[in-house]
Amino acid sequence: MKEGTFFPSFIESYFIALGVILGGSIIGGLAAFLSGNPPLTAIYRLSNLLRIWAIVAAIGGTFDAVYSFERGLLQGETKDLFKQFLLILAALGGAQTGSLLIKWMTQEHLSP
């Protein structure tokens, strides 16, 4: 990560995770509709299954995160360690927001 690019990366991390959850769930729901399965149930189920992949996609893969943690712990660069932690936190927030939006839209959490 270059100096001065933290805040754009922070915002991008949030919205990439949000987009993976929303886009993947809705496209998966379309596939469920075309195959004759209930689409809203599939959308809700996919939003729960895609969370970890949304986080991994948002932080740019796991190797960059591991390298930043290694550099922060072993080389004493705590600034990079803190920045990476905040990027992961933004990705977690984006995935949670997307999942919550899907939950509200589908209302699958309500029992009849």
Side-chain angles (χ1 to χ4, degrees):
M1 175 177 12
K2 296 178 184 176
E3 288 298 319
T5 63
F6 173 70
F7 288 111
S9 297
F10 184 78
I11 294 169
E12 286 174 1
S13 180
Y14 177 84
F15 283 106
I16 288 171
L18 179 69
V20 168
I21 294 289
L22 292 177
S25 297
I26 292 172
I27 296 296
L30 179 64
F33 174 74
L34 293 175
S35 64
N37 294 323
L40 293 178
T41 303
I43 289 172
Y44 179 72
R45 185 180 51 81
L46 285 171
S47 72
N48 289 327
L49 293 174
L50 287 174
R51 281 185 189 174
I52 189 68
W53 298 110
I55 295 165
V56 169
I59 62 173
T62 56
F63 294 115
D64 283 341
V66 170
Y67 179 69
S68 292
F69 279 125
E70 176 192 12
R71 189 174 40 188
L73 290 174
L74 299 179
Q75 296 177 2
E77 296 182 19
T78 56
K79 187 177 182 181
D80 288 336
L81 185 66
F82 186 68
K83 284 182 180 180
Q84 194 65 33
F85 176 73
L86 287 177
L87 288 176
I88 292 171
L89 195 63
L92 283 168
Q96 183 65 25
T97 303
S99 182
L100 188 63
L101 287 173
I102 292 291
K103 190 178 202 180
W104 287 345
M105 287 190 315
T106 62
Q107 297 185 3
E108 285 291 320
H109 61 287
L110 301 175
S111 59

